[in-house]
Amino acid sequence: MTTTTDLARPGGHYSHVAQAGGLIFTAGQLGIRPDGSHTADLPFEDQVRQALANMLAAVKAGGAGREGIAKVTAYIVGVDNWPRFDAVYAEVMGDHRPARTVVPVPELHYGYLVEIDAIAAAPGQKG
């Protein structure tokens, strides 16, 4: 288990990030700010930016950076949000293009519109 002050405390019985077998696994990240305040009332794009920032903070806590991310899974409320998600995702991820799955869902915890997790190569491993 790894902790970081760059993320709000977990809201349940889990860790934001764990390592196993040379990999870093992040828990699903909502748009909760590090101080614990919520962004669920903000526009979709703002929620995506915060969720991605949280995902990247979790990966960093595991000792890797954006370039070490091998797989991202995003859960979005409403398939019509997919193009908006993709635009913000491309902006944040830049030239790095890990494998990715986007799963449209009917709802998420706390009324959020997006939740994102990642798998990355641990330090010293090839991503």
Side-chain angles (χ1 to χ4, degrees), residues 41-56:
D41 60 333
L42 296 180
F44 179 78
E45 290 85 354
D46 293 339
Q47 293 185 41
V48 173
R49 283 185 184 87
Q50 185 63 57
L52 285 168
N54 292 347
M55 178 201 71
L56 291 170

Side-chain angles (χ1 to χ4, degrees), residues 55 69-74 89 93 98-101 116-119:
M55 178 201 71
I69 298 171
K71 175 75 166 75
V72 173
T73 302
Y89 180 86
M93 296 301 285
R100 186 185 83 184
T101 302
I116 305 168
D117 66 44
I119 301 170

Side-chain angles (χ1 to χ4, degrees), residues 49-119:
R49 283 185 184 87
Q50 185 63 57
L52 285 168
N54 292 347
M55 178 201 71
L56 291 170
V59 168
K60 180 180 176 187
R66 176 177 42 209
E67 299 301 318
I69 298 171
K71 175 75 166 75
V72 173
T73 302
Y75 304 89
I76 62 171
V77 174
V79 72
D80 54 316
N81 281 322
W82 197 318
R84 295 164 59 202
F85 170 79
D86 199 48
V88 175
Y89 180 86
E91 171 191 313
V92 171
M93 296 301 285
D95 290 334
H96 185 57
R97 293 177 177 243
R100 186 185 83 184
T101 302
V102 179
V103 183
V105 297
E107 64 182 324
L108 291 166
H109 204 51
Y110 303 121
Y112 277 95
L113 300 175
V114 63
E115 182 171 352
I116 305 168
D117 66 44
I119 301 170

